[in-house]
Amino acid sequence: MPRKQQGPAKFACFPSSNGSRLYQITEDRRRSPYQRDCDRIVHAKAFRRLMHKTQVFVSPDGDHFRTRLTHTIEVARVARSLAAALRLDVDLAESVALAHDLGHPPFGHSGEEALSEMMREFGGFEHNAQAIRIVTKLERQYIDHDGLNLTWQTLEGIAKHNGPVSGAIPFALAEYNRIQDLNLELRAAGEAQAAAAADDVAYICHDLQDGIAAGMFELDDIATLPIAGPILNMVMAENPGVEDDRVITTLLRGIFKSLTSDIIRNSEQNLFELAPGSADDIRSHDRNIIGFSGEIRTSLAEIRRFLKENMYRTGDVEMERQKGKTVINSLFARLMNDIDLLPSDWRAEADSFSTDARKARVLADFIAGMTDNFATGMHRRLEGREGRSVA
């Protein structure tokens, strides 16, 4: 007989616990509040723009490389699977995963580095904080309020899926936290921790596949890596003469299974030892409960070193990284010097502030929301149209 599916455990993050939406609404009888969050995120403009934002390759030459959108979809699927296996709320895990990269500017991490540098004297820039700003302020779809009005639990997960926020709190996050306390000093609930682990699984797997597809390394180069190497050797031994594409996808499925199985085993052991009676018991623990074992974390560090040396910091990718940073730096400097170059709606908002810090924040919002192609195109137009508006 098929195994009976168990519902969420008592340590799952139930929609009615620990607060809800900033603006009270009548919840939908046919959708849980977290399902509604997922729908609101997927229908957001910022979510659609992920289709044309860099994951690793800037404007990749080919249809099969990951973008920020396809990465997000993969993370969301893994997060749901992990949450289901661990008896967490699958819809909350998915909502956090769907929103976790909304705040990324164009050109991936290089774009974030550039924008962070340009915003240093104006409160800084950080993509998780920017994601909160997007879903609470910049998305304007509703008549009576800004933002998507997501549940407190989804907002908490977006803000803290990588861990507690300590030290200097990024401006965009601190600004919203004054309105609705997200308990930044604590860890996130298990669902957000599952989304963070899913992020690692997804990018390790797809970066290996994309790196091979881009010709940056070959199957033989990863044969000595932990996790990947033993699986590859087994696949090759059991399937002599099979074409590389089938070997690669079989390898990736093996890595995926190995990583997710480790997360589930390790997390189940952690949950057994902690015996949490509620989501708050997970939040207040001194370390993450949902995640990889120590052995796998060590192995993943070696794989990340390999990817950094052979993919993230190689000549072609590094050259594109530097081009992206140049575009961001140039756009920010030009627009800060002349806000009349902004489109009319953004220009009106920038004009409404008297301080450079507030104007700079408007520019950061504008630039962070750009796709790679839009940023490159606007940069090209500004270089060719000295002093003219692009509205």
Side-chain angles (χ1 to χ4, degrees):
M1 293 180 62
R3 184 179 176 182
K4 186 177 180 180
Q5 184 69 39
Q6 293 181 301
K10 60 185 177 181
F11 51 76
C13 203
F14 294 97
S16 59
S17 65
N18 222 11
S20 189
R21 305 183 194 276
L22 182 62
Y23 304 101
Q24 295 302 307
I25 60 174
T26 301
E27 293 293 354
D28 192 328
R29 292 186 296 108
R30 297 175 180 83
R31 294 178 294 171
S32 79
Y34 302 147
Q35 287 175 320
R36 200 170 189 174
D37 284 355
C38 291
D39 292 340
R40 290 182 172 209
I41 293 164
V42 167
H43 288 96
K45 290 181 180 179
F47 186 82
R48 296 195 292 276
R49 288 197 296 267
L50 295 176
M51 178 169 59
H52 297 295
K53 289 196 174 190
T54 294
Q55 181 61 28
V56 174
F57 302 112
V58 178
S59 300
D61 183 16
D63 296 330
H64 298 153
F65 295 104
R66 269 71 173 192
T67 65
R68 192 65 63 176
L69 178 61
T70 57
H71 165 72
T72 295
I73 293 170
E74 292 179 25
V75 174
R77 299 310 302 169
V78 179
R80 282 190 69 91
S81 296
L82 294 175
L86 297 169
R87 298 181 62 200
L88 297 164
D89 190 294
V90 295
D91 298 315
L92 176 56
E94 182 177 21
S95 70
V96 175
L98 288 171
H100 85 283
D101 270 355
L102 289 180
H104 264 294
F107 312 120
H109 291 289
S110 60
E112 180 171 9
E113 290 168 9
L115 202 50
S116 178
E117 178 64 27
M118 300 302 286
M119 288 294 295
R120 178 173 294 176
E121 62 180 291
F122 304 117
F125 179 91
E126 195 271 336
H127 79 269
N128 285 330
Q130 188 67 14
I132 290 291
R133 188 166 170 82
I134 287 169
V135 300
T136 62
K137 182 179 178 66
L138 299 181
E139 284 287 332
R140 292 164 182 169
Q141 303 181 16
Y142 299 93
I143 292 174
D144 55 350
H145 62 77
D146 291 339
L148 301 179
N149 196 27
L150 304 178
T151 61
W152 182 94
Q153 293 89 341
T154 291
L155 295 176
E156 177 215 22
I158 297 169
K160 302 188 298 185
H161 63 275
N162 289 329
V165 182
S166 57
I169 301 175
F171 170 86
L173 185 54
E175 183 181 51
Y176 185 76
N177 199 60
R178 287 191 289 269
I179 299 171
Q180 192 176 31
D181 187 359
L182 298 177
N183 294 340
L184 298 177
E185 71 283 359
L186 300 178
R187 296 181 183 277
E191 289 82 357
Q193 294 182 26
D199 190 15
D200 287 339
V201 172
Y203 92 76
I204 287 292
C205 289
H206 64 52
D207 284 3
L208 285 170
Q209 187 174 33
D210 285 357
I212 292 171
M216 294 183 157
F217 44 85
E218 299 179 356
L219 280 170
D220 289 346
D221 295 322
I222 64 175
T224 59
L225 287 176
I227 305 173
I231 297 172
L232 174 61
N233 293 332
M234 182 181 68
V235 172
M236 297 288 283
E238 294 179 353
N239 302 277
V242 173
E243 59 265 36
D244 283 356
D245 280 352
R246 295 181 190 272
V247 171
I248 292 166
T249 53
T250 305
L251 166 65
L252 268 293
R253 284 195 298 272
I255 297 172
F256 174 88
K257 183 177 181 179
S258 178
L259 295 180
T260 54
S261 296
D262 179 80
I263 293 169
I264 293 167
R265 282 193 303 269
N266 185 62
S267 302
E268 286 178 336
Q269 180 62 32
N270 290 341
L271 288 166
F272 175 78
E273 293 174 359
L274 179 63
S278 69
D280 283 344
D281 289 340
I282 292 178
R283 289 187 177 100
S284 60
H285 198 54
D286 61 0
R287 59 184 175 85
N288 275 7
I289 293 299
I290 312 301
F292 298 105
S293 66
E295 179 183 358
I296 291 296
R297 285 199 302 271
T298 299
S299 296
L300 289 177
E302 188 170 340
I303 294 176
R304 290 188 186 100
R305 282 194 296 271
F306 172 84
L307 289 170
K308 182 176 181 180
E309 293 170 3
N310 294 278
M311 188 174 181
Y312 306 146
R313 291 294 186 266
T314 56
D316 290 344
V317 173
E318 184 62 25
M319 182 171 64
E320 292 301 318
R321 276 173 42 83
Q322 294 306 317
K323 285 182 181 178
K325 293 178 79 168
T326 297
V327 168
I328 297 291
N329 290 338
S330 176
L331 283 175
F332 189 93
R334 289 289 302 276
L335 295 172
M336 194 68 182
N337 186 57
D338 186 0
I339 62 172
D340 287 340
L341 295 171
L342 285 167
S344 56
D345 52 341
W346 288 94
R347 185 166 63 245
E349 184 163 2
D351 272 333
S352 69
F353 295 112
S354 59
T355 67
D356 285 347
R358 299 302 298 185
K359 290 179 181 179
R361 186 59 54 183
V362 173
L363 295 188
D365 292 339
F366 177 56
I367 293 171
M370 293 178 176
T371 63
D372 296 4
N373 290 336
F374 186 92
T376 301
M378 184 174 188
H379 176 254
R380 189 179 299 118
R381 290 194 299 274
L382 288 180
E383 289 298 304
R385 291 190 191 181
E386 187 69 33
R388 291 179 60 185
S389 171
V390 295

